[in-house]
């Protein structure tokens, strides 16, 4: 059982926009910046978003993040086949004093 | 650009000790701005935070693993290490080391991961 809650799957057609939601609590998302990772099969997670809405250099602006209260979301616009991957949200948790993760959302590009 | 690389045995027998090392290049483990973490991912499952060490040597562990885990830092070698005792098949996973900013305001950096299989 993951501390942060994400839908297990999402799907959309190429070129469209998809949004993945992540829900937490006051000790994690409510009080700390949110991160989003993309994991392609057989590879390490890649940081897509940090500090709620910031993209590391090299991440396309098709990826955007937002946060409100104890929830966050990742939006991917102009979907491409290479966006098919698992996506994880994460945040530091003040009660655990460690990083907590969502269970991951498997995105299928139809 | 900081880089992290895990190293250690890929196969450990049940009841024995798993040991991994993370070597940091392009940066120092002696700065006070970061936690040096271990995170794992069992095959086909999600991510689990194991614990961190701070440059001073202070640590914090996931309560679910606390009785079996030790994380330490060697500032002279720019390395930090993980040991996990009394392993079982449930500890089979890809183990990642990661640098995480203490306030979350800087990007994380992760290693490529090291698969450890627990089997006799």
């Amino acid at each position: 059982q993951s501390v942060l809650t994400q839908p297990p799957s999402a799907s959309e057609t190429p070129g469209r926009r998809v949004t993945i939601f992540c829900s937490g609590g006051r000790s994690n998302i409510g009080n700390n910046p949110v991160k989003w990772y993309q994991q392609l099969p057989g590879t390490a997670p890649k940081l897509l978003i940090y500090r709620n809405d910031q993209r590391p250099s090299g991440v396309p602006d098709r990826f955007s993040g937002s946060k409100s209260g104890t929830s966050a979301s990742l939006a991917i616009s102009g979907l491409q086949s290479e966006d098919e991957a698992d996506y994880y949200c994460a945040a530091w948790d003040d009660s655990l004093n460690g990083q907590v993760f969502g269970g991951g959302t498997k995105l299928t590009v139809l | 650009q900081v880089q992290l690389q895990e190293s250690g045995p890929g196969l450990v027998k049940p009841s024995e000790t798993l040991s991994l090392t993370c070597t940091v290049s392009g940066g120092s483990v002696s700065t006070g701005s970061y936690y040096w973490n271990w995170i794992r991912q069992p095959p086909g499952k999600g991510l689990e935070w194991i614990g961190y060490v701070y440059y001073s040597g202070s640590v914090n562990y996931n309560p679910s693993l606390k009785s079996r885990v030790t994380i330490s830092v060697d500032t002279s070698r720019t390395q930090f290490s993980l040991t996990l005792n009394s392993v079982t098949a449930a500890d089979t996973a890809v183990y990642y080391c990661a640098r995480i900013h203490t306030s979350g305001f800087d990007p994380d950096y992760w290693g490529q991961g090291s698969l450890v299989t627990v089997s006799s």
Side-chain angles (χ1 to χ4, degrees):
Chain A
Q1 190 85 359
S2 301
V3 175
L4 306 182
T5 301
Q6 297 179 238
S9 63
S11 61
E12 188 50 89
T13 53
R16 300 291 296 266
R17 174 186 172 100
V18 68
T19 301
I20 298 171
F21 293 92
C22 175
S23 175
R26 281 187 291 181
S27 63
N28 41 70
I29 293 178
N31 202 40
N32 293 291
V34 175
K35 311 166 195 181
W36 289 91
Y37 301 90
Q38 176 194 60
Q39 188 174 36
L40 298 170
T43 69
K46 171 189 172 183
L47 185 67
L48 284 180
I49 298 289
Y50 69 101
R51 209 192 308 175
N52 305 322
D53 58 8
Q54 299 298 300
R55 287 184 305 276
S57 60
V59 174
D61 60 6
R62 302 188 296 107
F63 296 90
S64 61
S66 67
K67 176 180 127 173
S68 178
T70 59
S71 295
S73 63
L74 171 72
I76 311 172
S77 59
L79 265 177
Q80 301 176 4
S81 58
E82 54 260 41
D83 297 333
E84 195 161 278
D86 293 325
Y87 293 84
Y88 293 90
C89 59
W92 201 259
D93 187 286
D94 294 333
S95 299
L96 177 66
N97 193 20
Q99 180 145 299
V100 293
F101 295 92
T105 297
K106 185 175 185 61
L107 175 63
T108 301
V109 181
L110 301 169
Chain B
Q1 175 100 341
V2 65
Q3 292 184 316
L4 292 82
Q5 179 66 57
E6 305 87 352
S7 60
L11 181 64
V12 180
K13 290 182 168 54
S15 80
E16 296 192 347
T17 297
L18 178 160
S19 295
L20 292 171
T21 295
C22 182
T23 301
V24 180
S25 58
S28 171
V29 298
S30 300
T31 173
S33 301
Y34 303 101
Y35 296 126
W36 303 93
N37 296 259
W38 288 96
I39 294 161
R40 70 179 183 178
Q41 185 174 35
K45 296 188 178 181
L47 299 161
E48 179 182 34
W49 175 78
I50 298 170
Y52 73 72
V53 62
Y54 196 50
Y55 80 103
S56 61
S58 64
V59 295
N60 192 46
Y61 304 133
N62 190 319
S64 67
L65 297 167
K66 188 173 184 176
S67 63
R68 299 192 292 131
V69 170
T70 302
I71 300 176
S72 60
V73 64
D74 184 340
T75 55
S76 64
R77 293 187 175 185
T78 62
Q79 293 178 334
F80 61 106
S81 300
L82 167 72
T83 61
L84 182 64
N85 301 322
S86 306
V87 297
T88 69
D91 295 310
T92 293
V94 176
Y95 286 76
Y96 298 99
C97 57
R99 187 190 85 169
I100 297 177
H101 194 267
T102 54
S103 67
F105 284 175
D106 278 0
D108 298 350
Y109 287 90
W110 289 46
Q112 290 303 301
S114 179
L115 174 62
V116 179
T117 302
V118 179
S119 175
S120 55

Short mmCIF file of all heavy atoms in Angstrom, two decimals, chain A residues 2 32-33 35 37 39 43-45 47 50-51 56 88 92 96-103, chain B residues 35 37 39 41 45-49 52 60 63 96 100 103-108 110-112:
data_model
loop_
_atom_site.label_atom_id
_atom_site.label_comp_id
_atom_site.label_asym_id
_atom_site.label_seq_id
_atom_site.Cartn_x
_atom_site.Cartn_y
_atom_site.Cartn_z
N SER A 2 0.82 2.02 -1.06
CA SER A 2 1.65 3.21 -1.18
C SER A 2 1.07 4.36 -0.38
O SER A 2 -0.15 4.46 -0.20
CB SER A 2 1.80 3.61 -2.64
OG SER A 2 2.37 2.56 -3.39
N ASN A 32 5.31 19.70 1.33
CA ASN A 32 6.59 19.54 0.63
C ASN A 32 6.41 19.54 -0.89
O ASN A 32 5.33 19.20 -1.39
CB ASN A 32 7.27 18.24 1.06
CG ASN A 32 7.70 18.28 2.52
OD1 ASN A 32 8.61 19.02 2.89
ND2 ASN A 32 7.05 17.46 3.35
N PRO A 33 7.49 19.88 -1.61
CA PRO A 33 7.40 19.89 -3.07
C PRO A 33 7.16 18.48 -3.63
O PRO A 33 7.63 17.49 -3.07
CB PRO A 33 8.76 20.42 -3.52
CG PRO A 33 9.36 21.06 -2.33
CD PRO A 33 8.80 20.35 -1.14
N LYS A 35 7.42 15.66 -6.79
CA LYS A 35 8.25 15.26 -7.94
C LYS A 35 7.46 14.24 -8.75
O LYS A 35 6.59 13.53 -8.22
CB LYS A 35 9.55 14.61 -7.47
CG LYS A 35 10.29 15.41 -6.42
CD LYS A 35 11.35 14.58 -5.76
CE LYS A 35 11.84 15.24 -4.49
NZ LYS A 35 12.90 14.48 -3.83
N TYR A 37 8.32 11.16 -11.76
CA TYR A 37 9.32 10.37 -12.47
C TYR A 37 8.66 9.60 -13.60
O TYR A 37 7.52 9.13 -13.46
CB TYR A 37 10.00 9.37 -11.53
CG TYR A 37 10.69 9.96 -10.34
CD1 TYR A 37 10.02 10.15 -9.15
CD2 TYR A 37 12.03 10.32 -10.40
CE1 TYR A 37 10.66 10.67 -8.04
CE2 TYR A 37 12.69 10.85 -9.30
CZ TYR A 37 11.99 11.02 -8.12
OH TYR A 37 12.63 11.55 -7.02
N GLN A 39 9.37 6.15 -15.86
CA GLN A 39 10.19 4.95 -15.92
C GLN A 39 9.85 4.14 -17.16
O GLN A 39 8.75 3.57 -17.25
CB GLN A 39 10.05 4.10 -14.66
CG GLN A 39 11.03 2.94 -14.61
CD GLN A 39 10.99 2.18 -13.30
OE1 GLN A 39 9.94 2.00 -12.70
NE2 GLN A 39 12.16 1.71 -12.86
N THR A 43 14.56 0.46 -17.26
CA THR A 43 15.46 1.58 -16.99
C THR A 43 15.17 2.19 -15.62
O THR A 43 14.13 1.93 -15.02
CB THR A 43 15.33 2.67 -18.05
OG1 THR A 43 14.05 3.31 -17.94
CG2 THR A 43 15.50 2.10 -19.46
N ALA A 44 16.10 3.02 -15.15
CA ALA A 44 15.90 3.72 -13.89
C ALA A 44 14.88 4.83 -14.05
O ALA A 44 14.70 5.38 -15.14
CB ALA A 44 17.23 4.30 -13.41
N PRO A 45 14.18 5.17 -12.98
CA PRO A 45 13.28 6.33 -13.05
C PRO A 45 14.03 7.59 -13.45
O PRO A 45 15.16 7.83 -13.00
CB PRO A 45 12.74 6.44 -11.62
CG PRO A 45 12.87 5.06 -11.06
CD PRO A 45 14.12 4.51 -11.67
N LEU A 47 13.74 11.77 -13.59
CA LEU A 47 13.02 12.90 -13.01
C LEU A 47 12.43 13.78 -14.11
O LEU A 47 13.16 14.28 -14.96
CB LEU A 47 13.96 13.71 -12.13
CG LEU A 47 13.32 14.86 -11.35
CD1 LEU A 47 12.37 14.32 -10.27
CD2 LEU A 47 14.41 15.72 -10.70
N TYR A 50 10.22 18.53 -10.67
CA TYR A 50 10.57 18.69 -9.26
C TYR A 50 10.03 20.04 -8.79
O TYR A 50 9.62 20.87 -9.61
CB TYR A 50 12.09 18.58 -9.05
CG TYR A 50 12.89 19.73 -9.62
CD1 TYR A 50 13.36 20.74 -8.82
CD2 TYR A 50 13.17 19.78 -10.98
CE1 TYR A 50 14.09 21.79 -9.34
CE2 TYR A 50 13.89 20.83 -11.53
CZ TYR A 50 14.36 21.83 -10.71
OH TYR A 50 15.08 22.88 -11.23
N ARG A 51 10.00 20.23 -7.49
CA ARG A 51 9.46 21.47 -6.93
C ARG A 51 8.09 21.79 -7.52
O ARG A 51 7.82 22.93 -7.92
CB ARG A 51 10.44 22.62 -7.16
CG ARG A 51 10.34 23.70 -6.09
CD ARG A 51 11.07 24.97 -6.46
NE ARG A 51 12.45 24.77 -6.85
CZ ARG A 51 13.23 25.76 -7.31
NH1 ARG A 51 12.75 26.98 -7.43
NH2 ARG A 51 14.48 25.52 -7.66
N PRO A 56 13.58 19.62 -15.10
CA PRO A 56 15.05 19.59 -15.26
C PRO A 56 15.40 19.88 -16.72
O PRO A 56 14.57 19.70 -17.62
CB PRO A 56 15.43 18.16 -14.88
CG PRO A 56 14.26 17.65 -14.09
CD PRO A 56 13.05 18.35 -14.63
N TYR A 88 5.52 7.91 -11.73
CA TYR A 88 5.43 7.89 -10.27
C TYR A 88 5.47 9.31 -9.73
O TYR A 88 6.30 10.12 -10.15
CB TYR A 88 6.60 7.12 -9.66
CG TYR A 88 6.62 5.65 -9.95
CD1 TYR A 88 7.27 5.14 -11.07
CD2 TYR A 88 6.00 4.75 -9.08
CE1 TYR A 88 7.28 3.78 -11.33
CE2 TYR A 88 6.01 3.38 -9.34
CZ TYR A 88 6.65 2.91 -10.46
OH TYR A 88 6.65 1.56 -10.72
N TRP A 92 8.65 14.34 -0.15
CA TRP A 92 9.21 14.06 1.17
C TRP A 92 8.06 14.04 2.17
O TRP A 92 7.12 14.80 2.05
CB TRP A 92 10.23 15.13 1.54
CG TRP A 92 11.18 14.69 2.60
CD1 TRP A 92 11.16 14.98 3.92
CD2 TRP A 92 12.31 13.84 2.41
NE1 TRP A 92 12.20 14.38 4.58
CE2 TRP A 92 12.93 13.66 3.68
CE3 TRP A 92 12.88 13.19 1.31
CZ2 TRP A 92 14.07 12.88 3.86
CZ3 TRP A 92 14.01 12.42 1.49
CH2 TRP A 92 14.60 12.27 2.75
N LEU A 96 7.57 10.48 8.28
CA LEU A 96 8.53 9.41 8.02
C LEU A 96 9.96 9.97 8.00
O LEU A 96 10.90 9.26 8.33
CB LEU A 96 8.22 8.77 6.66
CG LEU A 96 9.13 7.67 6.15
CD1 LEU A 96 9.03 6.44 7.04
CD2 LEU A 96 8.77 7.31 4.70
N ASN A 97 10.09 11.26 7.65
CA ASN A 97 11.38 11.87 7.37
C ASN A 97 12.10 11.08 6.30
O ASN A 97 13.28 10.72 6.42
CB ASN A 97 12.25 11.99 8.63
CG ASN A 97 13.46 12.90 8.41
OD1 ASN A 97 13.48 13.71 7.48
ND2 ASN A 97 14.49 12.75 9.23
N GLY A 98 11.35 10.81 5.23
CA GLY A 98 11.86 10.07 4.09
C GLY A 98 10.97 10.33 2.89
O GLY A 98 9.93 10.98 3.00
N GLN A 99 11.39 9.83 1.73
CA GLN A 99 10.61 10.06 0.52
C GLN A 99 9.55 8.98 0.38
O GLN A 99 9.83 7.79 0.53
CB GLN A 99 11.53 10.06 -0.72
CG GLN A 99 10.81 10.30 -2.02
CD GLN A 99 11.63 11.11 -3.01
OE1 GLN A 99 12.00 12.25 -2.75
NE2 GLN A 99 11.91 10.51 -4.16
N VAL A 100 8.33 9.39 0.06
CA VAL A 100 7.24 8.47 -0.21
C VAL A 100 6.85 8.57 -1.68
O VAL A 100 7.05 9.61 -2.32
CB VAL A 100 6.03 8.72 0.71
CG1 VAL A 100 6.39 8.39 2.15
CG2 VAL A 100 5.54 10.16 0.60
N PHE A 101 6.32 7.48 -2.18
CA PHE A 101 5.99 7.37 -3.60
C PHE A 101 4.53 6.98 -3.79
O PHE A 101 3.92 6.36 -2.91
CB PHE A 101 6.85 6.29 -4.27
CG PHE A 101 8.32 6.59 -4.29
CD1 PHE A 101 9.14 6.15 -3.27
CD2 PHE A 101 8.89 7.30 -5.34
CE1 PHE A 101 10.51 6.42 -3.27
CE2 PHE A 101 10.25 7.57 -5.36
CZ PHE A 101 11.05 7.13 -4.32
N GLY A 102 4.00 7.31 -4.96
CA GLY A 102 2.76 6.72 -5.40
C GLY A 102 3.03 5.34 -5.95
O GLY A 102 4.18 4.96 -6.19
N GLY A 103 1.95 4.59 -6.16
CA GLY A 103 2.11 3.22 -6.64
C GLY A 103 2.45 3.12 -8.12
O GLY A 103 2.74 2.04 -8.61
N TYR B 35 20.50 14.68 1.16
CA TYR B 35 20.43 13.36 1.76
C TYR B 35 20.90 12.35 0.72
O TYR B 35 20.56 12.47 -0.46
CB TYR B 35 19.00 13.02 2.19
CG TYR B 35 18.42 13.91 3.26
CD1 TYR B 35 17.20 14.56 3.07
CD2 TYR B 35 19.06 14.08 4.48
CE1 TYR B 35 16.65 15.36 4.06
CE2 TYR B 35 18.51 14.88 5.47
CZ TYR B 35 17.30 15.52 5.25
OH TYR B 35 16.76 16.31 6.23
N ASN B 37 20.48 8.63 -0.39
CA ASN B 37 19.41 7.67 -0.17
C ASN B 37 19.63 6.35 -0.89
O ASN B 37 20.32 6.26 -1.91
CB ASN B 37 18.09 8.26 -0.71
CG ASN B 37 17.64 9.49 0.02
OD1 ASN B 37 16.77 9.45 0.88
ND2 ASN B 37 18.25 10.63 -0.31
N ILE B 39 16.92 3.41 -2.44
CA ILE B 39 15.54 3.15 -2.83
C ILE B 39 15.55 1.83 -3.58
O ILE B 39 16.51 1.54 -4.31
CB ILE B 39 15.03 4.29 -3.73
CG1 ILE B 39 14.95 5.59 -2.94
CG2 ILE B 39 13.68 3.95 -4.35
CD1 ILE B 39 14.91 6.85 -3.78
N GLN B 41 13.20 -1.37 -5.83
CA GLN B 41 12.04 -1.68 -6.64
C GLN B 41 12.01 -3.18 -6.94
O GLN B 41 12.76 -3.65 -7.80
CB GLN B 41 12.05 -0.88 -7.94
CG GLN B 41 10.80 -1.05 -8.78
CD GLN B 41 10.79 -0.13 -9.99
OE1 GLN B 41 11.84 0.16 -10.58
NE2 GLN B 41 9.61 0.34 -10.36
N LYS B 45 7.06 -4.22 -9.48
CA LYS B 45 6.37 -3.47 -8.43
C LYS B 45 6.86 -2.02 -8.37
O LYS B 45 7.66 -1.58 -9.19
CB LYS B 45 6.58 -4.17 -7.08
CG LYS B 45 5.97 -5.56 -7.03
CD LYS B 45 6.02 -6.13 -5.63
CE LYS B 45 5.35 -7.49 -5.57
NZ LYS B 45 5.37 -8.07 -4.20
N GLY B 46 6.36 -1.28 -7.39
CA GLY B 46 6.68 0.13 -7.26
C GLY B 46 7.95 0.39 -6.46
O GLY B 46 8.68 -0.52 -6.09
N LEU B 47 8.17 1.68 -6.19
CA LEU B 47 9.38 2.14 -5.54
C LEU B 47 9.20 2.21 -4.02
O LEU B 47 8.15 2.64 -3.53
CB LEU B 47 9.75 3.52 -6.08
CG LEU B 47 10.04 3.56 -7.59
CD1 LEU B 47 9.95 4.99 -8.11
CD2 LEU B 47 11.42 2.98 -7.86
N GLU B 48 10.23 1.81 -3.30
CA GLU B 48 10.21 1.83 -1.84
C GLU B 48 11.46 2.53 -1.32
O GLU B 48 12.58 2.11 -1.62
CB GLU B 48 10.13 0.42 -1.26
CG GLU B 48 10.13 0.38 0.25
CD GLU B 48 10.10 -1.03 0.82
OE1 GLU B 48 10.70 -1.94 0.20
OE2 GLU B 48 9.49 -1.23 1.89
N TRP B 49 11.28 3.58 -0.53
CA TRP B 49 12.39 4.26 0.09
C TRP B 49 12.94 3.42 1.23
O TRP B 49 12.18 2.98 2.09
CB TRP B 49 11.94 5.63 0.58
CG TRP B 49 12.97 6.40 1.34
CD1 TRP B 49 14.03 7.11 0.82
CD2 TRP B 49 13.02 6.58 2.75
NE1 TRP B 49 14.74 7.69 1.84
CE2 TRP B 49 14.15 7.39 3.04
CE3 TRP B 49 12.25 6.13 3.83
CZ2 TRP B 49 14.50 7.75 4.33
CZ3 TRP B 49 12.60 6.50 5.10
CH2 TRP B 49 13.72 7.31 5.36
N TYR B 52 18.24 7.01 4.39
CA TYR B 52 19.26 7.94 3.95
C TYR B 52 20.35 8.10 5.00
O TYR B 52 20.16 7.79 6.19
CB TYR B 52 18.67 9.31 3.60
CG TYR B 52 18.22 10.16 4.78
CD1 TYR B 52 19.14 10.77 5.64
CD2 TYR B 52 16.87 10.39 5.02
CE1 TYR B 52 18.72 11.55 6.70
CE2 TYR B 52 16.44 11.18 6.08
CZ TYR B 52 17.37 11.75 6.91
OH TYR B 52 16.96 12.53 7.97
N ASN B 60 18.42 7.93 8.75
CA ASN B 60 17.02 7.65 9.02
C ASN B 60 16.59 6.52 8.10
O ASN B 60 16.95 6.51 6.92
CB ASN B 60 16.16 8.88 8.77
CG ASN B 60 14.75 8.69 9.31
OD1 ASN B 60 14.55 8.23 10.42
ND2 ASN B 60 13.75 9.01 8.50
N PRO B 63 10.73 2.49 8.65
CA PRO B 63 10.44 1.62 9.80
C PRO B 63 10.26 0.15 9.42
O PRO B 63 10.55 -0.74 10.22
CB PRO B 63 9.13 2.21 10.34
CG PRO B 63 9.18 3.64 9.95
CD PRO B 63 9.85 3.66 8.61
N TYR B 96 18.50 1.27 -6.01
CA TYR B 96 18.98 2.53 -6.54
C TYR B 96 19.56 3.38 -5.42
O TYR B 96 18.99 3.44 -4.32
CB TYR B 96 17.83 3.33 -7.16
CG TYR B 96 17.15 2.69 -8.34
CD1 TYR B 96 15.93 2.01 -8.19
CD2 TYR B 96 17.68 2.79 -9.62
CE1 TYR B 96 15.29 1.45 -9.27
CE2 TYR B 96 17.04 2.23 -10.71
CZ TYR B 96 15.85 1.56 -10.53
OH TYR B 96 15.21 0.99 -11.61
N ILE B 100 19.09 13.37 -2.87
CA ILE B 100 17.85 14.14 -2.77
C ILE B 100 18.12 15.39 -1.96
O ILE B 100 18.68 15.32 -0.85
CB ILE B 100 16.73 13.30 -2.13
CG1 ILE B 100 16.41 12.10 -3.02
CG2 ILE B 100 15.48 14.15 -1.89
CD1 ILE B 100 15.35 11.16 -2.46
N SER B 103 15.57 20.20 0.96
CA SER B 103 14.31 20.95 0.92
C SER B 103 13.49 20.61 -0.32
O SER B 103 12.39 21.14 -0.47
CB SER B 103 14.58 22.45 0.94
OG SER B 103 15.23 22.83 -0.26
N GLY B 104 14.01 19.75 -1.18
CA GLY B 104 13.28 19.37 -2.38
C GLY B 104 13.29 20.42 -3.47
O GLY B 104 12.59 20.29 -4.47
N PHE B 105 14.09 21.44 -3.31
CA PHE B 105 14.07 22.54 -4.26
C PHE B 105 15.06 22.37 -5.40
O PHE B 105 15.10 23.19 -6.30
CB PHE B 105 14.31 23.87 -3.55
CG PHE B 105 13.12 24.36 -2.77
CD1 PHE B 105 13.20 25.49 -1.98
CD2 PHE B 105 11.92 23.67 -2.82
CE1 PHE B 105 12.10 25.94 -1.27
CE2 PHE B 105 10.80 24.11 -2.11
CZ PHE B 105 10.91 25.25 -1.33
N ASP B 106 15.87 21.32 -5.35
CA ASP B 106 16.79 21.01 -6.44
C ASP B 106 16.43 19.64 -7.00
O ASP B 106 15.83 18.81 -6.31
CB ASP B 106 18.23 20.97 -5.93
CG ASP B 106 18.84 22.35 -5.85
OD1 ASP B 106 18.14 23.33 -6.18
OD2 ASP B 106 20.01 22.46 -5.46
N PRO B 107 16.82 19.38 -8.25
CA PRO B 107 16.52 18.06 -8.83
C PRO B 107 17.21 16.93 -8.09
O PRO B 107 18.29 17.11 -7.53
CB PRO B 107 17.06 18.17 -10.25
CG PRO B 107 17.19 19.62 -10.51
CD PRO B 107 17.47 20.26 -9.21
N ASP B 108 16.59 15.73 -8.10
CA ASP B 108 17.22 14.51 -7.62
C ASP B 108 18.19 13.99 -8.68
O ASP B 108 18.01 14.23 -9.87
CB ASP B 108 16.19 13.40 -7.42
CG ASP B 108 15.13 13.74 -6.40
OD1 ASP B 108 15.28 14.75 -5.69
OD2 ASP B 108 14.16 12.97 -6.32
N TRP B 110 19.80 10.09 -9.57
CA TRP B 110 19.72 8.67 -9.24
C TRP B 110 20.82 7.90 -10.00
O TRP B 110 21.21 8.29 -11.10
CB TRP B 110 18.37 8.09 -9.66
CG TRP B 110 17.19 8.53 -8.86
CD1 TRP B 110 16.87 9.80 -8.47
CD2 TRP B 110 16.13 7.70 -8.40
NE1 TRP B 110 15.68 9.81 -7.79
CE2 TRP B 110 15.20 8.53 -7.73
CE3 TRP B 110 15.86 6.32 -8.48
CZ2 TRP B 110 14.03 8.04 -7.13
CZ3 TRP B 110 14.69 5.84 -7.90
CH2 TRP B 110 13.80 6.69 -7.24
N GLY B 111 21.24 6.77 -9.42
CA GLY B 111 22.07 5.85 -10.15
C GLY B 111 21.24 5.03 -11.12
O GLY B 111 20.01 5.16 -11.16
N GLN B 112 21.91 4.17 -11.88
CA GLN B 112 21.22 3.36 -12.88
C GLN B 112 20.55 2.13 -12.28
O GLN B 112 19.72 1.49 -12.92
CB GLN B 112 22.20 2.90 -13.95
CG GLN B 112 22.66 4.05 -14.84
CD GLN B 112 21.47 4.73 -15.50
OE1 GLN B 112 20.70 4.11 -16.22
NE2 GLN B 112 21.29 6.02 -15.23
#
